Amino acid sequence: MALKLKSAKKLFTFLGRSLLALLETAVFTMISKPRKNVAGEIVLITGAGSGLGRLLALKFAQLGSVLVLWDINQESNEETCKMAGEAGARRVCAYTCDCSRKEEVYRVASQVKKEVGDVSILINNAGIVTGRKFMDCPDELIEKSLDVNFKAHIWTYKAFLPAMIANDHGHLVCISSSAGLLGINGLADYCASKFAANGFAESIFLETFAKGQKGIKTTIVCPFFIKTGMFEGCTTGCPSLLPILEPEYAVRKIVDAILQENLYLYMPKFIYFTVFLKSFLPVKLGLLLGEYLGALNVMDGFTGSRKKN
């Protein structure tokens, strides 16, 4: 009898909390969630020397954050540092760091903790793309892709998460990709790294949730192609549903998701629908839809990283 009462209590508690969660979701669908204040927060952005990383730095500078900028390119990172200072950042520090090297991540992280303080918002943004078919991609480039796009997240979490746990305060941001949700022809190594980054970020979120560390937030961002030059030459077969995103729009949405402490952000919204369709559509129908949307040929005109190579 006692066991039945305990089971019933557990069930009603679950149903009650589920109802409240649904109600909260419904309310925030109609009105915007409140945005948190990040003035004075120490925000570390990897890959801050250009593209999305630079724009994120400028946005957080306008919000009065203390910025820690990491990039492998010292010159471009210093340029971002100067721009962020002019944009209103409370303080800006630039560090040259190759995020693909664990020892270097740990060394520079230690320097940041001594010179700036405990990072409270960690944005793993650094990324590379080879743009080559799997069999045409040298092993060293595949390893580099995994090192930068995925393993770097592990090392930065190892370096900065302990202080967040101790303070029960922090925000972990994974700039991933829609290629971490759906396989893309011509992006095998990139997809592997982004799927891994997604799974890792979700797992750490669940670890902090299970331990009751409610002050540590997670945001996982999965955009379609963004016009930063990284995927230059790539196309979309259906721009009305899958547009190539403007960087300013993407950054605005990313910062909003962080300030509202949303767990997931997929851009454009059609990505939510494609992930849903993938869960139940027959494979042949899914492939037909991919052909119709031009999703099987998005990398055909790719020139992005070949220029850099």
Side-chain angles (χ1 to χ4, degrees):
M1 185 67 178
L3 185 61
K4 286 183 178 181
L5 285 173
K6 187 176 179 180
S7 297
K9 182 181 177 182
K10 186 177 179 181
L11 175 62
F12 284 118
T13 301
F14 164 72
L15 291 173
R17 292 176 68 181
S18 298
L19 186 61
L20 285 173
L22 287 171
L23 183 61
E24 181 183 292
T25 301
V27 168
F28 287 131
T29 299
M30 294 182 286
I31 60 171
S32 294
K33 287 174 71 175
R35 291 164 173 77
K36 66 182 177 183
N37 182 11
V38 294
E41 297 281 0
I42 299 177
V43 181
L44 188 152
I45 304 170
T46 67
S50 61
L52 208 61
R54 174 173 286 180
L55 292 175
L56 285 168
L58 295 178
K59 195 70 175 176
F60 277 99
Q62 293 165 6
L63 295 171
S65 301
V66 174
L67 292 177
V68 178
L69 309 177
W70 283 15
D71 201 278
I72 195 170
N73 187 316
Q74 182 178 355
E75 186 178 348
S76 62
N77 203 31
E78 291 290 349
E79 180 64 24
T80 302
C81 183
K82 180 182 176 184
M83 293 168 69
E86 293 170 351
R90 187 168 295 192
R91 182 184 175 191
V92 194
C93 300
Y95 296 86
T96 303
C97 182
D98 181 353
C99 292
S100 69
R101 299 179 181 272
K102 177 177 67 173
E103 293 77 13
E104 191 165 335
V105 169
Y106 287 167
R107 177 184 61 79
V108 180
S110 179
Q111 192 178 347
V112 167
K113 285 182 265 190
K114 288 176 184 175
E115 296 175 359
V116 186
D118 292 331
V119 170
S120 52
I121 301 178
L122 171 62
I123 303 178
N124 274 302
N125 166 74
I128 62 168
V129 59
T130 65
R132 303 187 188 192
K133 300 288 186 183
F134 176 65
M135 295 306 296
D136 298 328
C137 192
D139 291 356
E140 58 269 22
L141 282 184
I142 292 175
E143 289 173 348
K144 194 74 171 178
S145 187
L146 290 167
D147 287 342
V148 176
N149 298 346
F150 165 53
K151 289 184 182 178
H153 295 213
I154 297 175
W155 315 140
T156 55
Y157 273 45
K158 278 274 190 180
F160 298 113
L161 185 55
M164 294 184 186
I165 292 171
N167 300 324
D168 194 27
H169 177 74
H171 202 137
L172 303 164
V173 183
C174 169
I175 306 296
S176 183
S177 168
S178 56
L181 302 167
L182 304 156
I184 304 293
N185 174 34
L187 279 176
D189 59 310
Y190 187 78
C191 287
S193 66
K194 291 301 186 178
F195 267 83
N198 281 1
F200 174 69
E202 268 192 355
S203 295
I204 298 300
F205 161 71
L206 290 171
E207 275 193 26
T208 57
F209 176 80
K211 291 178 180 177
Q213 295 159 347
K214 296 181 179 179
I216 302 173
K217 311 300 180 182
T218 293
T219 297
I220 302 169
V221 181
C222 296
F224 189 56
F225 298 143
I226 303 173
K227 294 178 186 176
T228 59
M230 188 174 182
F231 284 97
E232 192 171 332
C234 292
T235 58
T236 173
C238 194
S240 59
L241 295 176
L242 281 175
I244 295 178
L245 304 169
E246 294 294 336
E248 293 77 11
Y249 167 81
V251 166
R252 188 170 69 250
K253 298 294 284 185
I254 291 168
V255 173
D256 263 356
I258 294 169
L259 298 183
Q260 294 178 325
E261 298 181 340
N262 293 333
L263 178 57
Y264 300 109
L265 172 65
Y266 299 167
M267 297 182 286
K269 288 186 176 180
F270 185 68
I271 299 294
Y272 291 98
F273 187 55
T274 58
V275 172
F276 172 65
L277 290 177
K278 180 186 173 184
S279 67
F280 70 89
L281 274 187
V283 173
K284 286 186 178 180
L285 190 52
L287 290 172
L288 286 171
L289 179 61
E291 286 181 335
Y292 172 73
L293 295 174
L296 302 183
N297 306 104
V298 293
M299 292 295 294
D300 286 359
F302 174 80
T303 59
S305 70
R306 286 180 196 141
K307 287 184 176 180
K308 297 178 178 62
N309 289 341

